[in-house]
Amino acid sequence: MTIVPDDLTGRPVVPSTGRLRPLGLREVRITGGFWGQRQSVNAAATLEHNLSWERRVGWIDNFAAVVEGRVGRDRRGREFSDSDVYKLIEGMAWEVARTGDEFAAASIEELAKVIERAQEPDGYLNTAFGHAGQGERYSDLEWGHELYCYGHLIQAGVALLRTGVDGPLADVAVRAADHVCRTFGPDGNQGVCGHPVVEMALVELYRVTGERRYLDQAALFVSRRGHGVLADVEFGRGYFQDDVPVRDADAFHGHAVRALYLASGAVDVAVETGDDELLAAIERQWAATVARRTYLTGGMGARHMDEAFGDDFVLPPDRAYSETCAAVASVQLAWRLLLATGDARYADLAERTLYNVIATSPADDGRSFFYVNTLHRRRIGGLPAVDRQHPRAESGVRAPWFDVSCCPNNLARTFASLAAYLVTADDDGLQVHQYADASVSTRLAGGRPAGIEVRTGYPSDGAVVLRVTETSPAPWTLSVRVPAWAADGAELVAPDGTRQPVGPGFASVTAPFAVGDELRLELPMRPRWVRADPRIDALRGTVAVERGPLVLCAESTDLPAGRDVDAVQVDVDAPLTTDDDGAVLASGALTAPGDHDWPYAADAGADAAATPARIRLVPYHSWASRGPSTMRVWLPTLE
Amino acid sequence: MTIVPDDLTGRPVVPSTGRLRPLGLREVRITGGFWGQRQSVNAAATLEHNLSWERRVGWIDNFAAVVEGRVGRDRRGREFSDSDVYKLIEGMAWEVARTGDEFAAASIEELAKVIERAQEPDGYLNTAFGHAGQGERYSDLEWGHELYCYGHLIQAGVALLRTGVDGPLADVAVRAADHVCRTFGPDGNQGVCGHPVVEMALVELYRVTGERRYLDQAALFVSRRGHGVLADVEFGRGYFQDDVPVRDADAFHGHAVRALYLASGAVDVAVETGDDELLAAIERQWAATVARRTYLTGGMGARHMDEAFGDDFVLPPDRAYSETCAAVASVQLAWRLLLATGDARYADLAERTLYNVIATSPADDGRSFFYVNTLHRRRIGGLPAVDRQHPRAESGVRAPWFDVSCCPNNLARTFASLAAYLVTADDDGLQVHQYADASVSTRLAGGRPAGIEVRTGYPSDGAVVLRVTETSPAPWTLSVRVPAWAADGAELVAPDGTRQPVGPGFASVTAPFAVGDELRLELPMRPRWVRADPRIDALRGTVAVERGPLVLCAESTDLPAGRDVDAVQVDVDAPLTTDDDGAVLASGALTAPGDHDWPYAADAGADAAATPARIRLVPYHSWASRGPSTMRVWLPTLE
């Protein structure tokens, strides 16, 4: 078959309709700052780190083992380990598009060779099933993850097609997709995968190839699910969203990553098929989830047991799950909804999630990661061994690798492609959704050139300057998102110097811009007290502090020796100030409750001694960077 | 070999030394009241219910499948299902001792036949390993549960020996124990079981047979554990207490039932070997656990993921685990510590656990059960299907059976043997630890007869009358526990009518009692507000209400239609009263917080409308008895 990529601008998501048009990695470049630093670390360290671990733990050898007929005996890793190789390849493809990275290009080429040879003639490709000594193909749709692995293979293939990276993997992905359509089509296997992702992958392959069957198959998977087509499991069918049809659910539920990948695929299907009811259903579920099932950080998924959304308002800060991959999935979903609707709320949640979950996971050196992102850590853990895999759910330390290592690879592909999630265009202008030092260059309707350079010290500083670098004589519109958190005090300075207060949503200037014109957004960066809905029982009597897009936290590292964050109380009537290092200071106390044989009594807590103290608050994303610590986001108020 | 039972009084635990001497089922009989009702339901319904489910789901057929050589193909149930047959047999043995129940006696006889035939000539007995098509014996000590199954087999055997029920099962148990000693002795397999219980079973078999090797093997298992002899697992070695030696731990940790069974076995070993250091270690761990890791109900284990203790003060009421079996294990441990030390605190916790976890689990008809006992249920569940197994962790409804059905069988053996946990003796008298309508008859030192009849309306009523029914001319001492919760207002009325205030611990009268003499304990039954240690973050700003030994709760059933327990607030400055049905009433309000797109804001909750209301509070153990409901124990206080 002949594949005609839609374009080579390097866009992960390319809806054929929608309110806003995404820009690709060749149209938006991050040039420095908070996110530029993280992209550099990702390129210089994480990609190689992940690849070397995947070699070390045998996940790459599994493909060779298939070719050599020894996979039934030699296979290592969990049943879904193929998918992590594919996620990493996707990340490397975006990195090649971003920087021409030679290590990434060479790695893709090398991996492609071994993966290509492991594909069966009919397109089947999986190292955990279907070979001597293994289970039959598709004998365990609940847990086998075969379609999930195809999903990530296809996403990698799409990334390769859209970045113009040569090699056989795109064809491998297309053959796998064709195999899926043949096997799971209307008259085939009536199942779905226990872990969604193939839905959005197939839609994107449709978008890049124009082959309608991929879209039809994705739509079929979305509509099949929710009718009990999978077997019941201990966690219940809700775990993999097979308990209620996608369009009938009230809110996202079950396993958080599964729910958010499924919703992303449903949006893709809805947009391409004109299924406005389905799109509205996902918007409604998103709104309910954000209002009742989301952490202050944007983190999703409260439960450790099944990595799942809890009931409404069950959002315990200690033992929060808030999986890194759920944050990645949430940003992917928000992006799709933003493109479809143009509603700034979706970009608001993406910002919150990027700064407070996705930026929290990796260590500064890009070689260890939080799999879960708790909001309250009570016990100081040890430093993790750097030479072994770790349990994923330990939340006190960043670890180099996990037996389930989706998060490091999901981060890699997110950071490499991050520029594609910052700015959109429509016929008449540009919309800046996320602030970063960046250069933007694209064409508006009629081929009119439009380019800007974005300069900001965000998130430390609240000034964002958009300088026009390319323009044309006719007026066009430059828009910039004003976050909901900046409702009180945001101002926009137009190129002519006029200053006006702006509220949440988009602030725009329409003008016949000249090169050098500057639009300046000034966001209020004073720290803010935040309280929680009283129905979130776990947060009663506490407050949090935010500054700009950042959630702050108290960390034991900043307390007197031997004192712990459980001793912290803050005085919400005293002003928040800032110290010389830019950290926020709250007035409050350190308490020492008395110890008792039984912790429940009429006067429990009455004997707690409190000594006045200044409580230093640092960005949550930086916690545990100075060594193991205890930490809390939600701070009890002075009694 | 010749087995000489220590006696046939029907005692589950018979230490050779200790501060207090336990009395058996033939010495203490429950004659009615709160626990008498539950014993009757257990005998009339639960034993048969459990047996019929074990047949239905194939757990009993597994033994026949071994004999018929088809177990590798036909086996059903989890790897530890044998143990549930043994637990049920143990419960039936106690029931035969209690009432001579013919169904129980006949069932034991029938089960014994099939189990006996499944035992290998060398004593090995397990339906999940060691046969054609199965894993090798002891090839998976982490998860295989073979020694765990022996533990319950041996406990059943001990119960049969101590109740004089005839049949081959006691010999089967002894052969299995001998096999364990040969296989896991000092020069044998150096492993331990991933799930403790065999330790306490072996000590009890030592106590009943006098064979030292069983004690030595138990001591060996206790000392081996904690040195990383088991493989690491995703939950970490702490899950099965293999991370730190038993005597070095600070508090109970890891899987709650495992931790509590292990501690019980360690107490048994310590008592029989004079290892005071080990006993002191368990006492210390118990105290730390009760002070920092135990729910108000006495429930233990906060985490769903690994059914484990959480960190100190992590005790979320919603999503509490508080497994029924952990409560059973906690009572077993408390009983051992009480016998060893005579400290009333252990009986205090047992009382709390019995009334608020163990009494909570079964439905009134004894045919459905809570596996977990949450303290806050936010969502109304459906009524469970009566014809299928249920996931164990669903917490909103009592279910007839679970794929892991330890709880129904643990309840069965606990209820059948409950009389043995009420009263002890020492050389000079009787100690009444738990209040129930009961008759007690035993001999003190020198063969002096001592008997009492206990009459009480407890826990509804606070008067407990001990009437002497057997005595001898010399003075002896009648003691009754005064619970810690009754610190304010308990009084003892002596046989001569003198009345005196008594404090927590034991209240005693020493006298040359005459038949008919009455000692009367009067406990203050006014409802009490209770607060939590401020370090339990999840309970900040809430109070609970207790009355006598009962924890109370608010249930949606008692609220106006359409209102939910999440709306409840109570006024702690207003008095608690009692309605005509005996329910407690609190003054307070029903609130309706406003809905917002995002649940965090500077003024979150400020728009909540509150309407004054009387909040009806019912015993926690009765919740969900009137149909599915939402429920909460900890009640937010009026803002």
Side-chain angles (χ1 to χ4, degrees):
Chain A
M1 65 171 296
T2 306
I3 293 169
V4 184
D6 38 5
D7 63 48
L8 289 171
T9 56
R11 297 182 291 177
V13 184
V14 187
S16 61
T17 67
R19 170 66 189 86
L20 303 173
R21 176 172 68 84
L23 302 185
L25 302 185
R26 294 201 168 89
E27 297 172 299
V28 185
R29 294 177 187 276
I30 296 174
T31 55
F34 186 93
W35 293 115
Q37 165 67 13
R38 280 155 179 80
Q39 288 197 311
S40 298
V41 169
N42 187 56
T46 304
L47 295 179
E48 183 277 339
H49 173 88
N50 291 6
L51 181 60
S52 85
W53 267 101
E54 292 181 9
R55 285 195 202 289
R56 176 176 183 166
V57 296
W59 300 355
I60 291 170
D61 180 66
N62 288 342
F63 293 98
V66 166
V67 177
E68 295 161 17
R70 55 182 172 81
V71 73
R73 189 177 66 242
D74 290 353
R75 190 178 186 284
R76 293 166 64 195
R78 293 287 299 268
E79 61 277 19
F80 39 69
S81 68
D82 294 0
S83 76
D84 278 303
V85 181
Y86 303 145
K87 285 179 210 124
L88 180 59
I89 291 172
E90 184 196 334
M92 287 174 162
W94 300 128
E95 188 60 30
V96 172
R98 190 177 80 88
T99 61
D101 190 276
E102 291 181 9
F103 169 79
S107 299
I108 291 171
E109 193 176 331
E110 191 180 335
L111 292 169
K113 283 180 197 158
V114 62
I115 292 168
E116 182 187 26
R117 294 175 59 212
Q119 189 168 36
E120 309 291 333
D122 69 348
Y124 183 85
L125 174 53
N126 190 284
T127 70
F129 288 88
H131 310 97
Q134 299 185 321
E136 295 287 312
R137 292 179 181 188
Y138 310 119
S139 58
D140 183 10
L141 286 176
E142 288 75 21
W143 298 108
H145 287 79
E146 286 155 289
L147 288 161
Y148 169 82
C149 289
Y150 291 139
H152 283 295
L153 170 64
I154 293 166
Q155 289 185 328
V158 166
L160 293 167
L161 288 169
R162 287 188 174 147
T163 54
V165 179
D166 287 336
L169 265 186
D171 286 333
V172 171
V174 168
R175 283 196 295 270
D178 290 340
H179 164 81
V180 169
C181 294
R182 281 195 307 274
T183 310
F184 289 87
D187 303 321
N189 184 324
Q190 296 296 300
V192 299
C193 187
H195 198 315
V197 83
V198 73
E199 298 81 0
M200 59 171 152
L202 285 168
V203 176
E204 220 59 47
L205 188 63
Y206 156 72
R207 288 165 172 169
V208 79
T209 63
E211 295 287 348
R212 175 85 193 187
R213 65 179 176 281
Y214 305 133
L215 173 61
D216 292 342
Q217 185 64 47
L220 196 54
F221 281 141
V222 169
S223 63
R224 252 183 214 161
R225 188 179 295 268
H227 300 277
V229 297
L230 295 170
D232 204 0
V233 293
E234 169 137 2
F235 300 145
R237 284 202 178 89
Y239 174 73
F240 32 46
Q241 296 79 43
D242 190 31
D243 55 335
V244 56
V246 174
R247 71 184 69 226
D248 296 339
D250 295 323
F252 301 140
H253 66 289
H255 186 268
V257 177
R258 283 169 167 82
L260 294 162
Y261 280 173
L262 176 64
S264 296
V267 171
D268 290 338
V269 166
V271 164
E272 297 304 330
T273 61
D275 187 342
D276 293 342
E277 182 198 79
L278 179 59
L279 178 61
I282 303 295
E283 287 191 90
R284 188 181 66 239
Q285 293 165 27
W286 183 93
T289 302
V290 170
R292 293 167 173 246
R293 299 186 177 186
T294 301
Y295 282 105
L296 182 65
T297 54
M300 293 188 177
R303 295 184 181 179
H304 273 243
M305 185 178 73
D306 44 1
E307 309 187 305
F309 286 101
D311 290 342
D312 284 351
F313 303 116
V314 181
L315 292 161
D318 47 16
R319 301 280 295 169
Y321 205 72
S322 180
E323 182 180 340
T324 301
C325 288
V328 168
S330 174
V331 170
Q332 293 187 356
L333 174 61
W335 183 243
R336 283 161 171 78
L337 290 168
L338 175 66
L339 295 178
T341 67
D343 190 330
R345 289 182 306 155
Y346 299 116
D348 279 354
L349 185 74
E351 172 179 83
R352 184 173 289 276
T353 308
L354 284 165
Y355 281 105
N356 299 297
V357 187
I358 288 174
T360 306
S361 174
D364 292 342
D365 71 357
R367 294 182 178 277
S368 63
F369 314 88
F370 282 133
Y371 189 106
V372 301
N373 298 277
T374 187
L375 276 72
H376 183 178
R377 171 73 186 180
R378 292 173 179 257
R379 195 164 38 80
I380 294 190
L383 281 169
V386 296
D387 59 350
R388 68 172 181 87
Q389 299 187 86
H390 290 255
R392 53 185 148 163
E394 184 60 35
S395 58
V397 285
R398 293 176 179 89
W401 204 249
F402 307 94
D403 49 353
V404 178
S405 255
C406 37
C407 294
N409 297 306
N410 253 333
L411 287 174
R413 64 182 185 137
T414 301
F415 286 129
S417 62
L418 189 63
Y421 294 91
L422 304 189
V423 183
T424 57
D426 60 11
D427 287 350
D428 301 317
L430 300 179
Q431 302 82 36
V432 176
H433 303 285
Q434 308 299 343
Y435 323 122
D437 286 348
S439 62
V440 182
S441 172
T442 189
R443 305 257 159 184
L444 305 181
R448 291 174 290 158
I452 57 171
E453 182 175 89
V454 185
R455 300 290 297 170
T456 181
Y458 200 76
S460 303
D461 188 82
V464 183
V465 177
L466 318 182
R467 193 173 66 82
V468 174
T469 55
E470 294 174 72
T471 185
S472 57
W476 54 284
T477 302
L478 192 49
S479 302
V480 60
R481 179 182 59 96
V482 180
W485 63 256
D488 185 17
E491 294 188 324
L492 188 71
V493 185
D496 63 6
T498 57
R499 174 181 289 266
Q500 58 171 323
V502 286
F506 292 100
S508 302
V509 171
T510 303
F513 290 107
V515 168
D517 280 356
E518 286 190 353
L519 194 66
R520 181 180 173 93
L521 176 66
E522 295 184 357
L523 297 170
M525 298 304 278
R526 58 184 175 280
R528 314 181 298 278
W529 297 111
V530 185
R531 292 180 182 276
D533 188 299
R535 288 169 290 189
I536 306 178
D537 285 88
L539 302 181
R540 186 171 290 108
T542 67
V543 293
V545 179
E546 294 180 327
R547 181 174 182 274
L550 301 181
V551 172
L552 307 185
C553 67
E555 204 178 357
S556 56
T557 322
D558 293 313
L559 297 179
R563 299 311 296 268
D564 182 66
V565 292
D566 282 355
V568 166
Q569 290 187 339
V570 294
D571 179 359
V572 294
D573 296 323
L576 292 163
T577 58
T578 306
D579 73 7
D580 293 344
D581 300 327
V584 172
L585 297 175
S587 292
L590 293 175
T591 65
D595 279 315
H596 299 275
D597 290 349
W598 181 241
Y600 310 102
D603 60 352
D607 60 353
T611 52
R614 298 285 280 172
I615 310 300
R616 190 166 189 267
L617 303 173
V618 298
Y620 169 73
H621 69 71
S622 72
W623 90 273
S625 294
R626 296 172 289 172
S629 62
T630 64
M631 176 278 301
R632 66 186 302 160
V633 166
W634 290 96
L635 311 169
T637 55
L638 270 183
E639 299 283 302
Chain B
M1 67 174 296
T2 306
I3 293 169
V4 183
D6 39 5
D7 64 48
L8 289 172
T9 57
R11 298 182 291 176
V13 184
V14 188
S16 61
T17 66
R19 169 67 190 85
L20 303 174
R21 177 172 67 83
L23 302 185
L25 302 185
R26 294 201 168 89
E27 297 172 298
V28 185
R29 294 176 188 276
I30 296 174
T31 54
F34 187 92
W35 294 115
Q37 164 67 13
R38 280 156 181 80
Q39 287 198 311
S40 298
V41 169
N42 187 56
T46 304
L47 295 180
E48 183 278 337
H49 173 87
N50 292 5
L51 181 61
S52 86
W53 268 100
E54 291 181 11
R55 286 195 202 288
R56 175 176 183 166
V57 295
W59 300 355
I60 291 169
D61 180 65
N62 289 341
F63 292 98
V66 166
V67 177
E68 294 161 18
R70 56 183 173 80
V71 73
R73 189 179 66 243
D74 290 352
R75 188 178 188 286
R76 293 166 66 194
R78 293 287 299 268
E79 61 278 19
F80 38 70
S81 68
D82 294 359
S83 76
D84 278 305
V85 181
Y86 304 145
K87 282 179 213 124
L88 180 58
I89 291 172
E90 185 197 331
M92 288 173 162
W94 300 129
E95 188 60 28
V96 172
R98 189 177 80 87
T99 60
D101 189 276
E102 290 181 12
F103 169 78
S107 299
I108 292 171
E109 193 176 332
E110 190 180 335
L111 293 168
K113 282 180 199 157
V114 63
I115 293 169
E116 182 187 25
R117 293 176 60 211
Q119 188 168 37
E120 308 292 331
D122 69 348
Y124 184 85
L125 174 54
N126 190 284
T127 69
F129 288 89
H131 309 98
Q134 299 184 321
E136 295 287 311
R137 292 181 180 186
Y138 310 120
S139 57
D140 183 10
L141 286 176
E142 290 73 22
W143 297 108
H145 287 77
E146 286 154 289
L147 289 161
Y148 169 81
C149 289
Y150 291 139
H152 282 296
L153 170 64
I154 293 166
Q155 290 185 329
V158 166
L160 294 167
L161 289 169
R162 287 189 172 146
T163 53
V165 178
D166 288 336
L169 265 187
D171 286 332
V172 171
V174 167
R175 283 196 295 270
D178 290 339
H179 164 81
V180 169
C181 294
R182 282 195 306 274
T183 309
F184 288 88
D187 303 322
N189 185 325
Q190 296 296 300
V192 299
C193 187
H195 199 315
V197 83
V198 73
E199 298 81 1
M200 58 171 152
L202 285 168
V203 176
E204 220 60 48
L205 188 62
Y206 156 71
R207 288 165 172 168
V208 79
T209 64
E211 295 287 348
R212 174 87 193 187
R213 64 179 176 281
Y214 304 134
L215 173 61
D216 292 343
Q217 185 64 47
L220 195 56
F221 280 141
V222 169
S223 64
R224 253 182 213 159
R225 188 180 294 268
H227 299 278
V229 298
L230 294 170
D232 205 0
V233 293
E234 168 137 2
F235 300 145
R237 284 202 178 89
Y239 173 74
F240 31 48
Q241 296 79 41
D242 191 32
D243 55 335
V244 57
V246 175
R247 69 183 71 225
D248 296 341
D250 295 325
F252 301 140
H253 66 289
H255 186 269
V257 177
R258 284 170 167 81
L260 295 162
Y261 280 173
L262 176 64
S264 296
V267 171
D268 290 337
V269 166
V271 164
E272 298 302 331
T273 61
D275 189 341
D276 293 342
E277 183 197 79
L278 180 59
L279 178 61
I282 303 296
E283 287 191 89
R284 189 180 66 240
Q285 292 165 28
W286 183 92
T289 302
V290 170
R292 293 166 172 247
R293 298 186 178 187
T294 301
Y295 283 105
L296 182 65
T297 53
M300 292 190 179
R303 296 184 180 177
H304 272 244
M305 184 178 75
D306 44 0
E307 308 188 305
F309 286 101
D311 290 342
D312 285 350
F313 302 116
V314 182
L315 292 161
D318 45 17
R319 299 281 296 166
Y321 205 72
S322 181
E323 183 181 340
T324 301
C325 288
V328 169
S330 173
V331 169
Q332 293 188 355
L333 174 60
W335 181 244
R336 283 161 171 78
L337 290 168
L338 174 66
L339 294 178
T341 67
D343 190 330
R345 290 182 306 156
Y346 299 117
D348 279 354
L349 186 74
E351 171 180 83
R352 185 174 289 276
T353 308
L354 283 164
Y355 281 106
N356 299 296
V357 188
I358 288 175
T360 306
S361 174
D364 292 342
D365 70 356
R367 294 182 178 276
S368 62
F369 313 89
F370 282 133
Y371 189 105
V372 301
N373 297 277
T374 188
L375 276 73
H376 184 178
R377 173 72 188 182
R378 291 172 179 262
R379 197 165 35 81
I380 294 190
L383 281 169
V386 296
D387 58 350
R388 66 171 183 89
Q389 298 187 84
H390 290 256
R392 52 184 148 164
E394 184 60 35
S395 58
V397 284
R398 294 178 179 88
W401 204 247
F402 307 95
D403 49 353
V404 177
S405 255
C406 36
C407 294
N409 297 305
N410 253 333
L411 287 175
R413 62 181 186 139
T414 300
F415 286 129
S417 63
L418 189 63
Y421 295 90
L422 302 189
V423 183
T424 57
D426 60 11
D427 287 351
D428 300 317
L430 299 178
Q431 302 81 37
V432 176
H433 303 286
Q434 308 298 343
Y435 323 121
D437 285 347
S439 62
V440 182
S441 171
T442 188
R443 304 254 159 188
L444 306 181
R448 290 176 290 158
I452 57 173
E453 182 175 272
V454 185
R455 299 290 298 170
T456 181
Y458 200 76
S460 301
D461 186 81
V464 183
V465 177
L466 318 182
R467 193 173 65 82
V468 174
T469 54
E470 294 174 70
T471 186
S472 56
W476 53 284
T477 302
L478 192 49
S479 301
V480 60
R481 180 180 60 94
V482 180
W485 62 257
D488 185 16
E491 293 187 325
L492 189 70
V493 184
D496 63 5
T498 59
R499 175 182 289 266
Q500 57 173 322
V502 287
F506 291 100
S508 301
V509 171
T510 302
F513 290 108
V515 169
D517 280 355
E518 285 191 356
L519 194 66
R520 181 180 173 91
L521 177 67
E522 293 184 358
L523 297 170
M525 299 304 279
R526 60 185 172 279
R528 313 181 298 278
W529 296 109
V530 185
R531 291 179 182 276
D533 187 300
R535 289 169 290 190
I536 306 177
D537 285 88
L539 302 182
R540 185 171 291 108
T542 66
V543 292
V545 179
E546 295 180 326
R547 181 173 181 275
L550 301 180
V551 172
L552 307 185
C553 68
E555 203 178 357
S556 57
T557 322
D558 292 313
L559 297 178
R563 299 311 295 269
D564 182 66
V565 292
D566 283 356
V568 167
Q569 290 187 339
V570 293
D571 180 358
V572 294
D573 297 323
L576 291 163
T577 57
T578 306
D579 73 6
D580 294 342
D581 300 326
V584 171
L585 297 175
S587 291
L590 292 175
T591 66
D595 280 314
H596 299 276
D597 290 348
W598 181 241
Y600 310 102
D603 58 353
D607 61 352
T611 51
R614 299 283 281 171
I615 310 300
R616 190 165 188 267
L617 303 173
V618 297
Y620 169 73
H621 69 71
S622 72
W623 90 273
S625 295
R626 296 172 288 173
S629 63
T630 65
M631 176 278 302
R632 64 185 304 160
V633 165
W634 289 96
L635 310 169
T637 55
L638 270 183
E639 300 284 301

